[in-house]
Amino acid sequence: MKIIESGSPSGPILKWWYRLAGLPGGSRLFSFLLGRIAPYSGSIHSHVEEIRPGYARVSFRDRRAVRNHLNSIHAIALINLGEVATGLAVLSTLSSNMRGIVLAIRADYLKKARGKLSASAEFHLPPDFADNTPFEVEALLRDQSGDIVTRVTATWLIGYKILKEQQ
């Protein structure tokens, strides 16, 4: 687990990560809480290993619950891991008055996935972006030997939250 703080976190993801990750078992607690907030994403029991502005690395271990009939990790579990990584990378760059919504997701399966996997994603929000702009964010899923097994590309719509007074 690596904790890198650059500047002051403005959104809730980084605030909670910085608050918990340095504590004994803190990254596990963060991962558990993330799974409670997003129950479907929590179904793969991923472990958040690192978050910094614009970057996330998440892993999960191979177990029967995520396997398919071919004795490898199921395609949808791989997409789920990729979505978690892209989502944390995106959300780590957003201020609390912004939101990100997945519009589309695609996966390229390059090799049978077995064993512990890690997914990493990077995203950098341009300072002059327009409200409600879609951005493609890629997560690379690697096996223990470092081979890329899956490439997940998620399209995130980034914009500002509508305040209740503005409705």
Side-chain angles (χ1 to χ4, degrees), residues 7-50:
S8 159
S10 56
I13 292 291
L14 281 177
K15 284 180 184 175
W16 280 105
W17 175 252
Y18 292 145
R19 208 174 273 168
L20 295 174
L23 301 174
S27 68
R28 290 267 176 220
L29 177 59
F30 180 91
S31 301
F32 172 78
L33 293 172
L34 182 64
R36 299 291 292 185
I37 292 167
Y40 186 76
S41 293
S43 69
I44 61 169
H45 302 286
S46 61
H47 176 231
V48 179
E49 295 182 354
E50 181 180 359

Side-chain angles (χ1 to χ4, degrees), residues 142-164:
R142 298 178 188 272
D143 62 17
Q144 289 174 295
S145 66
D147 292 341
I148 298 172
V149 297
T150 306
R151 181 179 294 110
V152 174
T153 305
T155 303
W156 285 84
L157 181 69
I158 309 297
Y160 292 96
K161 293 178 183 176
I162 298 173
L163 300 177
K164 290 184 180 181

Side-chain angles (χ1 to χ4, degrees), residues 43-82:
S43 69
I44 61 169
H45 302 286
S46 61
H47 176 231
V48 179
E49 295 182 354
E50 181 180 359
I51 304 175
R52 62 179 187 260
Y55 178 82
R57 189 176 71 244
V58 184
S59 65
F60 80 162
R61 60 182 180 79
D62 187 348
R63 60 189 203 295
R64 187 180 192 302
V66 296
R67 287 219 159 209
N68 59 25
H69 64 289
L70 302 172
N71 204 27
S72 60
I73 298 174
H74 194 281
I76 299 305
L78 296 170
I79 287 176
N80 196 336
L81 183 65

